[in-house]
Amino acid sequence: MTMKGLYVGIDLGGTKIAGALVDRDGSILRRIRLETRVEQGPQAVIDRLVESIDQLMDGVRSTVKGVGVASPGPLDSRSGVVFSPPNLPGWVNVPLRQALEDRLGIPVKLENDANAAAWGEYRFGAGQRKGTMIYLTVSTGVGSGLVLDGRLFRGENTFAGEIGHTIVDPEGPPCGCGRQGCLEALASGTAIAKLGQTADPSSSIHSLAAEDGGVVRAEHVFQAYRMGDAHAENIIRQTVRYLAIGLSNLIHIFNPGKIVVGGGVSRAGDVLFPLLQEQLDRYLMAPFRETCEVVPAALGEDAGVLGAAALWTDCGQQVVAGEPA
Ligand code: BGC
């Protein structure tokens, strides 16, 4: 194992805590994965984070230069405080960076999970060779990371990119953030599962779920779609339509060369991508249609950890508004 500087990347954005020990070229030397158990509250999650990071650093602690942590937002990456993420119930203004630094004695950087994954894909995955790229994650939540002209864009207070909480239907369902009609409330994995649960009893969504633990998940809706189930088709078409509305708004504003789509729902890419392309063709103005490619993420669940670790190695390339380049 190289004894040059090493970094730890952690991603709290998925259903599990994902962590990796990484070198400065983005090679993963060790991995760890464990249940997040968000329902136990922030302190228990912090304990598990410390435990994972300690395990990753075992025997090489003195060569670890820094830890990057990707967490669902909204959060302030400068102060290291996580506000009240819709998908981290019970978290209110948690000083995550400070808490980890105090326990680990190693410097920590905090980043929004979608931003970290965007940077991971931009540096090492599907977003390479494009100056302006948008990463979209569709999983429990919906989020995006904006790489604009080669720099991760965070905005004035580091909150930028919250596409999941842009309103795409003012009369839409309530969102975990407390408002209504957000893209996340209409098109996340959680939203697809909810629609599946209330689908007509004759839908094969229910029989698929019954054979697989009993609780309807987004993947059952996709499976039913593949079997030609009309109820599943309505749900998926409606979901993708909202995703295309959200994305087309970003595309018109930022003119990305690529949209990289990741997150759990993107695993149903065979269904998702053709429909998304069809809907984007409908919502985009001609020049944007021809200049923006929509591709699946290349790094899967590694995008977040690689991007979080690279926060340490890429500081020079990454300019935060308000900080010197
Ligand atoms: C949060 C985002 C996050 C996304 C995916 C959303 O609910 O507001 O910050 O990137 O979920 O985890």
Short mmCIF file of all heavy atoms in Angstrom, two decimals, residues 166-196:
data_model
loop_
_atom_site.label_atom_id
_atom_site.label_comp_id
_atom_site.label_asym_id
_atom_site.label_seq_id
_atom_site.Cartn_x
_atom_site.Cartn_y
_atom_site.Cartn_z
N THR A 166 -36.88 22.18 -5.74
CA THR A 166 -37.51 23.15 -6.64
C THR A 166 -38.96 22.67 -6.82
O THR A 166 -39.23 21.47 -6.83
CB THR A 166 -36.80 23.21 -8.01
OG1 THR A 166 -36.78 21.89 -8.60
CG2 THR A 166 -35.36 23.69 -7.86
N ILE A 167 -39.86 23.63 -6.92
CA ILE A 167 -41.29 23.28 -7.01
C ILE A 167 -41.63 22.99 -8.47
O ILE A 167 -41.43 23.84 -9.33
CB ILE A 167 -42.17 24.46 -6.51
CG1 ILE A 167 -41.71 24.97 -5.13
CG2 ILE A 167 -43.65 24.09 -6.51
CD1 ILE A 167 -41.93 24.06 -3.98
N VAL A 168 -42.11 21.79 -8.72
CA VAL A 168 -42.52 21.47 -10.09
C VAL A 168 -44.04 21.32 -10.21
O VAL A 168 -44.56 21.23 -11.31
CB VAL A 168 -41.79 20.22 -10.64
CG1 VAL A 168 -40.32 20.54 -10.92
CG2 VAL A 168 -41.89 19.04 -9.69
N ASP A 169 -44.74 21.30 -9.10
CA ASP A 169 -46.20 21.31 -9.12
C ASP A 169 -46.70 21.97 -7.83
O ASP A 169 -46.72 21.35 -6.77
CB ASP A 169 -46.74 19.88 -9.21
CG ASP A 169 -48.28 19.85 -9.15
OD1 ASP A 169 -48.90 20.94 -9.06
OD2 ASP A 169 -48.84 18.74 -9.17
N PRO A 170 -47.11 23.24 -7.93
CA PRO A 170 -47.50 23.98 -6.72
C PRO A 170 -48.62 23.30 -5.94
O PRO A 170 -48.76 23.51 -4.75
CB PRO A 170 -47.95 25.34 -7.24
CG PRO A 170 -47.50 25.42 -8.65
CD PRO A 170 -47.24 24.03 -9.14
N GLU A 171 -49.41 22.49 -6.63
CA GLU A 171 -50.51 21.79 -5.93
C GLU A 171 -50.09 20.38 -5.55
O GLU A 171 -50.93 19.56 -5.15
CB GLU A 171 -51.77 21.69 -6.82
CG GLU A 171 -52.15 22.91 -7.64
CD GLU A 171 -52.28 24.16 -6.79
OE1 GLU A 171 -52.67 24.03 -5.62
OE2 GLU A 171 -51.97 25.25 -7.30
N GLY A 172 -48.83 20.08 -5.70
CA GLY A 172 -48.36 18.71 -5.52
C GLY A 172 -48.34 18.25 -4.07
O GLY A 172 -48.70 18.99 -3.15
N PRO A 173 -47.92 17.00 -3.86
CA PRO A 173 -47.96 16.40 -2.51
C PRO A 173 -46.98 17.03 -1.54
O PRO A 173 -46.02 17.69 -1.96
CB PRO A 173 -47.57 14.94 -2.77
CG PRO A 173 -46.84 14.95 -4.06
CD PRO A 173 -47.38 16.10 -4.86
N PRO A 174 -47.20 16.83 -0.24
CA PRO A 174 -46.27 17.39 0.75
C PRO A 174 -44.88 16.76 0.62
O PRO A 174 -44.75 15.60 0.27
CB PRO A 174 -46.90 17.02 2.09
CG PRO A 174 -47.94 16.00 1.80
CD PRO A 174 -48.31 16.11 0.37
N CYS A 175 -43.88 17.56 0.93
CA CYS A 175 -42.49 17.11 0.86
C CYS A 175 -41.93 17.00 2.28
O CYS A 175 -42.39 17.71 3.18
CB CYS A 175 -41.67 18.11 0.03
SG CYS A 175 -39.94 17.63 -0.15
N GLY A 176 -40.93 16.17 2.46
CA GLY A 176 -40.28 16.03 3.76
C GLY A 176 -39.65 17.32 4.27
O GLY A 176 -39.34 17.44 5.45
N CYS A 177 -39.48 18.30 3.38
CA CYS A 177 -38.88 19.58 3.79
C CYS A 177 -39.91 20.50 4.41
O CYS A 177 -39.58 21.60 4.88
CB CYS A 177 -38.23 20.26 2.60
SG CYS A 177 -39.41 20.96 1.43
N GLY A 178 -41.21 20.10 4.37
CA GLY A 178 -42.24 20.92 4.99
C GLY A 178 -43.04 21.73 3.98
O GLY A 178 -44.03 22.36 4.34
N ARG A 179 -42.60 21.75 2.70
CA ARG A 179 -43.38 22.49 1.70
C ARG A 179 -44.13 21.47 0.84
O ARG A 179 -44.23 20.32 1.20
CB ARG A 179 -42.43 23.37 0.88
CG ARG A 179 -41.75 24.42 1.80
CD ARG A 179 -40.67 25.19 1.06
NE ARG A 179 -39.76 24.25 0.45
CZ ARG A 179 -39.25 24.42 -0.78
NH1 ARG A 179 -39.54 25.49 -1.47
NH2 ARG A 179 -38.43 23.52 -1.27
N GLN A 180 -44.64 21.90 -0.30
CA GLN A 180 -45.34 20.93 -1.14
C GLN A 180 -45.00 21.10 -2.62
O GLN A 180 -44.63 22.21 -3.04
CB GLN A 180 -46.86 21.01 -0.94
CG GLN A 180 -47.53 22.20 -1.55
CD GLN A 180 -49.03 22.20 -1.33
OE1 GLN A 180 -49.51 22.84 -0.41
NE2 GLN A 180 -49.76 21.51 -2.19
N GLY A 181 -45.10 19.99 -3.36
CA GLY A 181 -44.89 20.05 -4.80
C GLY A 181 -43.43 20.05 -5.22
O GLY A 181 -43.10 20.33 -6.38
N CYS A 182 -42.52 19.73 -4.28
CA CYS A 182 -41.09 19.66 -4.64
C CYS A 182 -40.85 18.48 -5.58
O CYS A 182 -41.56 17.47 -5.50
CB CYS A 182 -40.23 19.44 -3.40
SG CYS A 182 -40.31 20.76 -2.20
N LEU A 183 -39.80 18.58 -6.39
CA LEU A 183 -39.45 17.48 -7.28
C LEU A 183 -39.25 16.19 -6.47
O LEU A 183 -39.66 15.11 -6.89
CB LEU A 183 -38.17 17.85 -8.07
CG LEU A 183 -37.69 16.82 -9.08
CD1 LEU A 183 -38.76 16.52 -10.13
CD2 LEU A 183 -36.41 17.28 -9.76
N GLU A 184 -38.64 16.32 -5.31
CA GLU A 184 -38.40 15.14 -4.47
C GLU A 184 -39.70 14.44 -4.05
O GLU A 184 -39.75 13.22 -3.96
CB GLU A 184 -37.59 15.56 -3.23
CG GLU A 184 -37.33 14.44 -2.26
CD GLU A 184 -36.23 14.77 -1.27
OE1 GLU A 184 -35.13 15.17 -1.68
OE2 GLU A 184 -36.47 14.64 -0.06
N ALA A 185 -40.73 15.26 -3.79
CA ALA A 185 -42.01 14.69 -3.36
C ALA A 185 -42.71 13.97 -4.51
O ALA A 185 -43.61 13.16 -4.29
CB ALA A 185 -42.91 15.78 -2.79
N LEU A 186 -42.31 14.30 -5.74
CA LEU A 186 -42.98 13.74 -6.91
C LEU A 186 -42.16 12.70 -7.65
O LEU A 186 -42.71 11.89 -8.40
CB LEU A 186 -43.34 14.88 -7.89
CG LEU A 186 -44.50 15.74 -7.41
CD1 LEU A 186 -44.38 17.16 -7.92
CD2 LEU A 186 -45.81 15.12 -7.84
N ALA A 187 -40.84 12.70 -7.46
CA ALA A 187 -40.03 11.85 -8.36
C ALA A 187 -38.87 11.12 -7.68
O ALA A 187 -38.02 10.59 -8.37
CB ALA A 187 -39.50 12.71 -9.51
N SER A 188 -38.83 11.08 -6.36
CA SER A 188 -37.76 10.32 -5.69
C SER A 188 -38.13 8.84 -5.66
O SER A 188 -39.28 8.47 -5.96
CB SER A 188 -37.60 10.82 -4.25
OG SER A 188 -38.83 10.69 -3.57
N GLY A 189 -37.20 8.00 -5.25
CA GLY A 189 -37.50 6.59 -5.06
C GLY A 189 -38.64 6.44 -4.06
O GLY A 189 -39.54 5.60 -4.22
N THR A 190 -38.61 7.28 -3.02
CA THR A 190 -39.64 7.23 -1.99
C THR A 190 -41.01 7.57 -2.59
O THR A 190 -42.02 6.93 -2.28
CB THR A 190 -39.31 8.28 -0.88
OG1 THR A 190 -37.91 8.28 -0.68
CG2 THR A 190 -40.04 8.02 0.40
N ALA A 191 -41.04 8.58 -3.46
CA ALA A 191 -42.31 8.99 -4.08
C ALA A 191 -42.84 7.88 -4.99
O ALA A 191 -44.05 7.60 -5.00
CB ALA A 191 -42.11 10.28 -4.88
N ILE A 192 -41.94 7.24 -5.75
CA ILE A 192 -42.37 6.16 -6.65
C ILE A 192 -42.97 5.02 -5.81
O ILE A 192 -44.01 4.46 -6.14
CB ILE A 192 -41.19 5.64 -7.51
CG1 ILE A 192 -40.63 6.76 -8.39
CG2 ILE A 192 -41.61 4.45 -8.36
CD1 ILE A 192 -39.34 6.41 -9.13
N ALA A 193 -42.29 4.70 -4.70
CA ALA A 193 -42.79 3.63 -3.84
C ALA A 193 -44.17 3.97 -3.29
O ALA A 193 -45.08 3.14 -3.27
CB ALA A 193 -41.81 3.37 -2.71
N LYS A 194 -44.34 5.23 -2.87
CA LYS A 194 -45.65 5.66 -2.31
C LYS A 194 -46.75 5.52 -3.35
O LYS A 194 -47.85 5.06 -3.07
CB LYS A 194 -45.57 7.13 -1.88
CG LYS A 194 -45.17 7.29 -0.43
CD LYS A 194 -45.43 8.71 0.02
CE LYS A 194 -44.63 8.97 1.29
NZ LYS A 194 -44.29 10.38 1.46
N LEU A 195 -46.44 5.96 -4.58
CA LEU A 195 -47.45 5.85 -5.64
C LEU A 195 -47.77 4.38 -5.91
O LEU A 195 -48.92 4.01 -6.15
CB LEU A 195 -46.95 6.53 -6.93
CG LEU A 195 -46.87 8.06 -6.86
CD1 LEU A 195 -46.09 8.62 -8.03
CD2 LEU A 195 -48.28 8.66 -6.84
N GLY A 196 -46.73 3.55 -5.84
CA GLY A 196 -46.92 2.11 -6.03
C GLY A 196 -47.84 1.53 -4.98
O GLY A 196 -48.71 0.70 -5.27
#
